[in-house]
Amino acid sequence: MFDAVVLNEASLPFYSVEDCEKNIEFFFDLLHEAKNNNIQFSRVDDLEGDWNHLNYAHNFNFNKWLNAIEDRDRKLQIKSVISSLKCPLLDININKSDINIDDFLFLHDSNRDLAVLGLAFAHLNHSHSLSIASDPCWRQGSIPIVKVWYEADKEHEEKIDVPNISSVYQLQPFLTAFKSLRQKNRAYLSSLKVDGNEDFKNLSFTKSFLKAVTSSSLQPVDFRRLIIVLESLNLAIINSSNTVDLANHSSLTITGESESTMGNKSLVMLRRFKHPVLGNTIFEDHIKNFGNGKRLHILADYDDKTVCVGYFGNHLDT
């Protein structure tokens, strides 16, 4: 979920219950609009829970506030966000920039006592932050932070502006760019052939895979992440002699199936796809570096230095 919008935990809580009650509905308007456009979120604040479990304000009772809303449609809208829009907790050290956060401090530029892990994660993944408009500093279109580290006993710092979303208005240009990139990535994947692809000379694809990448059920984040994974495989197979090498050279998580899965004929059949040369073949090894439980099943030929991609989609039954 490197491309997900990241919750800025530093933007909570509101200063008071009164301030929270005046503004929290605007936050859920933003979440509802994001949900309707298939935007995904993530967080790195070491806390798990749905949107109704955030610490919006001291002594603020979320359920009491929600139950007091008289507008039935508004209440259903908020409940829909809570039940269907997820914000999973991720490991901040697994990021697109491959930076270990333990080596740095990320602080708000105007308040050096305030750590901003969510903003840091958004920056490390070249993404946007999601802020609750609890203070004017969190309502800006970009939030200034500073990256601090020590080298040779000297303090160094780098100032960074993190793109920020705190209102439906700020969400709109993000959606425009998001939809444009989605169309571009979908078209790119749809142009792939079984083999002979200029960008993936060491890869081939089953017809099942090519059909899957044109599916309307795939999300924009799936397209972007899938392209990155395919690029990694295409390069890594050249210097790989086995699955361990391939995983190390590609920086991907590649595993086989359990004995119980491979011992069940019905489950094995789910992993059988038509290889363009070998015909119906079992694609046991799979890559787990995707959100929402998706998997990419592959069959590598370490002598020929090629990888056939057999399947992409939801986790197959085990």
Side-chain angles (χ1 to χ4, degrees):
M1 301 193 64
F2 287 153
D3 300 289
V5 176
V6 185
L7 175 65
N8 171 21
E9 80 293 338
S11 62
L12 282 175
F14 284 94
Y15 293 117
S16 67
V17 171
E18 292 75 20
D19 192 28
C20 176
E21 291 178 342
K22 289 178 182 177
N23 293 282
I24 190 173
E25 283 194 30
F26 299 120
F27 179 59
F28 276 89
D29 286 340
L30 169 58
L31 293 179
H32 184 257
E33 185 70 12
K35 180 180 76 70
N36 287 343
N37 285 277
N38 296 316
I39 304 301
Q40 297 191 31
F41 294 95
S42 63
R43 60 197 296 185
V44 289
D45 54 5
D46 292 332
L47 299 173
E48 289 192 85
D50 295 324
W51 299 103
N52 54 323
H53 293 140
L54 294 178
N55 178 26
Y56 289 100
H58 181 61
N59 288 331
F60 174 72
N61 187 313
F62 186 92
N63 290 333
K64 181 179 179 181
W65 166 77
L66 179 61
N67 291 332
I69 296 176
E70 296 181 356
D71 187 325
R72 180 176 178 274
D73 291 337
R74 165 71 75 172
K75 185 181 294 186
L76 290 175
Q77 176 179 304
I78 294 171
K79 288 183 176 181
S80 173
V81 167
I82 294 170
S83 64
S84 60
L85 185 63
K86 302 305 178 183
C87 188
L89 177 66
L90 302 183
D91 184 344
I92 193 170
N93 285 321
I94 301 177
N95 56 72
K96 189 180 290 185
S97 299
D98 198 26
I99 286 180
N100 189 323
I101 194 72
D102 297 333
D103 298 328
F104 303 92
L105 293 174
F106 287 90
L107 310 170
H108 192 274
D109 189 33
S110 62
N111 181 2
R112 298 297 179 92
D113 293 325
L114 182 62
V116 286
L117 294 182
L119 293 171
F121 194 59
H123 162 68
L124 295 175
N125 290 314
H126 314 300
S127 187
H128 286 59
S129 64
L130 169 72
S131 295
I132 291 83
S134 59
D135 185 274
C137 72
W138 307 127
R139 298 170 190 158
Q140 303 176 60
S142 65
I143 298 176
I145 68 172
V146 60
K147 173 184 173 183
V148 180
W149 72 98
Y150 292 88
E151 188 175 330
D153 295 328
K154 291 185 178 180
E155 181 179 301
H156 301 266
E157 68 174 49
E158 175 189 358
K159 292 193 175 183
I160 301 163
D161 287 324
V162 181
N164 182 56
I165 300 170
S166 65
S167 66
V168 173
Y169 175 78
Q170 289 174 334
L171 181 66
Q172 297 311 313
F174 173 83
L175 290 179
T176 299
F178 184 74
K179 291 176 181 177
S180 175
L181 185 59
R182 174 176 58 189
Q183 293 168 354
K184 180 180 178 181
N185 287 338
R186 183 188 289 274
Y188 177 73
L189 289 171
S190 297
S191 70
L192 293 177
K193 302 173 293 183
V194 170
D195 55 25
N197 295 284
E198 183 65 26
D199 291 341
F200 303 115
K201 294 182 178 180
N202 304 313
L203 304 184
S204 62
F205 305 99
T206 66
K207 291 183 178 179
S208 298
F209 169 82
L210 296 177
K211 181 178 180 180
V213 297
T214 63
S215 170
S216 60
S217 65
L218 294 184
Q219 301 297 324
V221 67
D222 297 325
F223 298 135
R224 294 194 292 277
R225 185 61 185 151
L226 179 56
I227 291 170
I228 292 171
V229 168
L230 294 178
E231 290 173 343
S232 297
L233 283 175
N234 186 61
L235 292 175
I237 187 61
I238 297 172
N239 299 309
S240 299
S241 300
N242 50 53
T243 304
V244 174
D245 284 349
L246 187 60
N248 288 336
H249 292 144
S250 64
S251 297
L252 297 172
T253 303
I254 306 175
T255 63
E257 300 288 2
S258 66
E259 289 186 12
S260 61
T261 295
M262 296 308 294
N264 185 309
K265 292 183 179 180
S266 296
L267 297 178
V268 170
M269 284 297 296
L270 296 177
R271 289 151 178 81
R272 187 180 292 275
F273 304 99
K274 192 172 183 179
H275 190 287
V277 176
L278 303 176
N280 289 326
T281 309
I282 297 170
F283 287 68
E284 179 183 351
D285 286 344
H286 54 281
I287 296 169
K288 301 179 178 181
N289 302 77
F290 301 95
N292 299 330
K294 288 187 171 58
R295 297 290 187 267
L296 184 76
H297 281 253
I298 63 171
L299 182 64
D301 185 331
Y302 296 104
D303 294 323
D304 196 37
K305 302 300 181 184
T306 58
V307 176
C308 182
V309 181
Y311 168 85
F312 179 66
N314 292 330
H315 191 301
L316 297 173
D317 290 345
T318 56

